[in-house]
Amino acid sequence: KLVYAHFGYQIPRTVEGQSGIGISVSKSQLLPGDLVIFHKSGKVYHVALYIGNNKVIHAGTTKTGIVVARLWSDPQFYRRVIY
């Protein structure tokens, strides 16, 4: 949300809200800035920002803070907000 706000875009605060904005894209179509939405049993629970090279940036734990990580394999779908 803060990254998008920095560039003048307002998006919902919650993962539930973010999961419904923009357009759906496939994993092979991911571009830096796309949202990666994680879900389990039909419920969304986490969002990350794709930064390219099969990597994302996301809020980890209170101990790790903001983390750059490889795109992991939990069930996910992808949203493009800027198009």
Side-chain angles (χ1 to χ4, degrees), residues 9 21-25 34 79-83:
Y9 295 91
I21 62 173
I23 61 171
S24 179
V25 295
D34 289 344
R79 306 295 297 181
R80 179 159 301 143
V81 177
I82 303 168
Y83 50 95

Side-chain angles (χ1 to χ4, degrees), residues 18-78:
Q18 292 172 6
S19 69
I21 62 173
I23 61 171
S24 179
V25 295
S26 68
K27 185 175 184 178
S28 65
Q29 296 172 312
L30 280 174
L31 295 174
D34 289 344
L35 299 177
V36 179
I37 311 289
F38 296 88
H39 64 93
K40 188 178 285 185
S41 302
K43 183 169 172 68
V44 295
Y45 67 90
H46 191 63
V47 65
L49 184 65
Y50 186 70
I51 59 173
N53 254 0
N54 209 34
K55 293 185 180 178
V56 295
I57 188 167
H58 68 104
T61 66
T62 54
K63 183 177 179 179
T64 62
I66 303 300
V67 178
V68 174
R70 304 232 8 106
L71 186 57
W72 60 95
S73 61
D74 282 359
Q76 53 205 295
F77 61 95
Y78 316 97

